[in-house]
Amino acid sequence: MNSTPEEQSGTHQQAVTEATSADIKRWRQYLADERAEAAVYRDLAQRREGEERSILLALAEAEGRHEAHWEQLLGEHAEQKRAASLNSQLLGFLARNFGSVFVLALAQRAEGRSPYATDPAATPAMAADEAIHEEVVRGLATRGRNRLSGTFRAAVFGANDGLVSNLSLVMGMAATGVSSQVVLFSGVAGLLAGALSMGAGEFVSVRSQRELLEASRPTQITLHAAPQLDVDQNELVLVYRARGMSQEAAEHRAAERLGILSCDCDPSLSLQPELPEPEDEHEAVGTAWGAATSSFCFFASGAIIPILPFIFGMAGMPALIVAAVLVGLALLVTGAVVGLLSGTSPLSRALRQLAIGLGAAGATYGLGLLFGATIG
């Protein structure tokens, strides 16, 4: 049974009376974070328009209600200012200066970590709000991810492939005992070959995917062919059934096209445009040239890192160690970026990238030692 506002107010007053210093400290932190999160959503709203702007402002308003709850609970203690958590401060800085999908991804994680569900001082409605906010922010972040997905996918995989493949190549060659100059030339050759291969592969992949989607899009041929069709043997019905309509809906649509039906007795079977709304070519699939260029550039930027020590004159094991450290740091960054955009833990994704990359390089180095010993 839900309590009335008066009962909730009395409960809150009792909570304030019985609150410990740890409770007061925790509530003040909640208050500071709610204020910071509301500011984040308002800052993001300034960079959006239309529906996204109104959604973000509504989220800020909801955080304001939570803020009012903690102010009421704290009473005079609410006047004692407290800094927001580091995560909330980081979100605020990014929202003010960038306002990108990365901020929404971080906000999604922040909403998902809300402690209100287990804190008796927070109302059930507040805990429910935070759970819903995570889904709202997830939806907004998904829009941004869709706009980035084609080119971003090529960029991330290109950089990661460049890092791992060229480090493996360099370590494998060095393990065989060849000179540092040969290792460097092998690394440069691997960079150029890999970047060109990645760019060409992404171009063909994305162009082919877009051509397949184009081939699947309905045309306006039914408008031109309809007047010549046999009414009794109506192939137009087959067209609409092939597009997924039921027999009844297909017959209704065909009768409209042929002018047999002039009224719309069943709104669910109403005439719809033949062509779907045009898609933004940068969404989901991305452009072929954009994917190819990103893949080429990012593969090259990743592949050059393992050969930097050799370019600057280092040789032997010190050069390999420096190369492994540099690549490891880069893998941590790419993994963290993927984690941020996917709304998962940046640390776990970063460590996963690091383990896979250095594991592949270590295996190649071992094979190089084996082949070098065999040849020797």
Side-chain angles (χ1 to χ4, degrees), residues 3 5 7-13 15-16 23 26-28 30-32 34-35 61-78 116 119-127 129-130:
S3 59
E7 291 173 338
Q8 290 183 355
S9 177
T11 302
H12 292 161
Q13 291 299 326
V16 173
D23 292 332
R26 187 175 72 257
W27 298 344
R28 287 175 56 209
Y30 288 160
L31 177 59
E34 291 289 1
R35 288 170 174 169
E61 182 179 350
E63 301 295 354
R65 293 195 299 270
H66 297 175
E67 178 184 338
H69 168 83
W70 297 119
E71 287 178 341
Q72 178 185 6
L73 199 60
L74 284 165
E76 62 182 14
H77 296 288
Y116 290 171
D119 195 315
T123 66
M126 292 171 63
D129 282 349
E130 295 297 312

Side-chain angles (χ1 to χ4, degrees), residues 215-303:
S216 302
R217 184 175 294 124
T219 68
Q220 293 274 23
I221 190 65
T222 55
L223 295 179
H224 305 295
Q228 283 75 44
L229 290 175
D230 186 332
V231 176
D232 296 323
Q233 303 292 330
N234 190 359
E235 274 81 3
L236 194 55
V237 174
L238 299 180
V239 172
Y240 295 127
R241 288 180 61 192
R243 294 180 184 175
M245 299 179 68
S246 67
Q247 178 71 27
E248 181 186 6
E251 291 176 354
H252 188 282
R253 177 73 61 84
E256 286 182 322
R257 283 291 186 215
L258 294 172
I260 298 173
L261 291 181
S262 57
C263 67
D264 206 3
C265 304
D266 186 349
S268 67
L269 306 177
S270 63
L271 186 64
Q272 300 294 330
E274 284 291 309
L275 290 175
E277 291 295 321
E279 295 179 345
D280 182 353
E281 66 175 3
H282 292 280
E283 290 212 3
V285 178
T287 63
W289 280 112
T293 301
S294 295
S295 186
F296 178 92
C297 293
F298 279 87
F299 184 97
S301 66

Side-chain angles (χ1 to χ4, degrees), residues 87-306:
N87 285 337
S88 296
Q89 292 183 48
L90 175 61
L91 271 177
F93 172 79
L94 293 175
R96 289 189 299 272
N97 294 280
F98 300 101
S100 68
V101 65
F102 291 95
V103 181
L104 288 172
L106 286 170
Q108 176 186 327
R109 283 181 51 78
E111 295 287 1
R113 293 194 301 263
S114 173
Y116 290 171
T118 57
D119 195 315
T123 66
M126 292 171 63
D129 282 349
E130 295 297 312
I132 293 300
H133 289 178
E134 181 183 7
E135 293 305 311
V136 174
V137 177
R138 187 193 307 276
L140 293 176
T142 297
R143 298 185 183 190
R145 292 182 184 116
N146 288 339
R147 289 191 286 266
L148 284 174
S149 60
T151 302
F152 176 76
R153 175 180 56 84
V156 168
F157 285 118
N160 190 71
D161 284 352
L163 289 164
V164 176
S165 65
N166 228 28
L167 177 63
S168 300
L169 175 62
V170 166
M171 295 190 73
M173 289 296 295
T176 63
V178 299
S179 67
S180 296
Q181 188 176 24
V182 173
V183 174
L184 174 59
F185 288 155
S186 298
V188 172
L191 184 157
L192 294 174
L196 289 170
S197 176
M198 288 287 294
E202 282 293 337
F203 181 88
V204 172
S205 174
V206 175
R207 176 60 64 87
S208 298
Q209 188 174 0
R210 295 188 71 83
E211 288 172 350
L212 287 173
L213 291 176
E214 183 67 27
S216 302
R217 184 175 294 124
T219 68
Q220 293 274 23
I221 190 65
T222 55
L223 295 179
H224 305 295
Q228 283 75 44
L229 290 175
D230 186 332
V231 176
D232 296 323
Q233 303 292 330
N234 190 359
E235 274 81 3
L236 194 55
V237 174
L238 299 180
V239 172
Y240 295 127
R241 288 180 61 192
R243 294 180 184 175
M245 299 179 68
S246 67
Q247 178 71 27
E248 181 186 6
E251 291 176 354
H252 188 282
R253 177 73 61 84
E256 286 182 322
R257 283 291 186 215
L258 294 172
I260 298 173
L261 291 181
S262 57
C263 67
D264 206 3
C265 304
D266 186 349
S268 67
L269 306 177
S270 63
L271 186 64
Q272 300 294 330
E274 284 291 309
L275 290 175
E277 291 295 321
E279 295 179 345
D280 182 353
E281 66 175 3
H282 292 280
E283 290 212 3
V285 178
T287 63
W289 280 112
T293 301
S294 295
S295 186
F296 178 92
C297 293
F298 279 87
F299 184 97
S301 66
I304 198 173
I305 292 178

Side-chain angles (χ1 to χ4, degrees), residues 9-54:
S9 177
T11 302
H12 292 161
Q13 291 299 326
Q14 182 181 1
V16 173
T17 303
E18 299 176 354
T20 65
S21 59
D23 292 332
I24 299 296
K25 181 179 179 180
R26 187 175 72 257
W27 298 344
R28 287 175 56 209
Q29 187 65 64
Y30 288 160
L31 177 59
D33 288 341
E34 291 289 1
R35 288 170 174 169
E37 289 173 12
V40 165
Y41 291 132
R42 284 192 293 268
D43 289 334
L44 288 174
Q46 292 179 0
R47 297 173 178 269
R48 301 294 199 280
E49 57 185 22
E51 184 182 35
E52 289 191 13
R53 178 184 176 87
S54 64

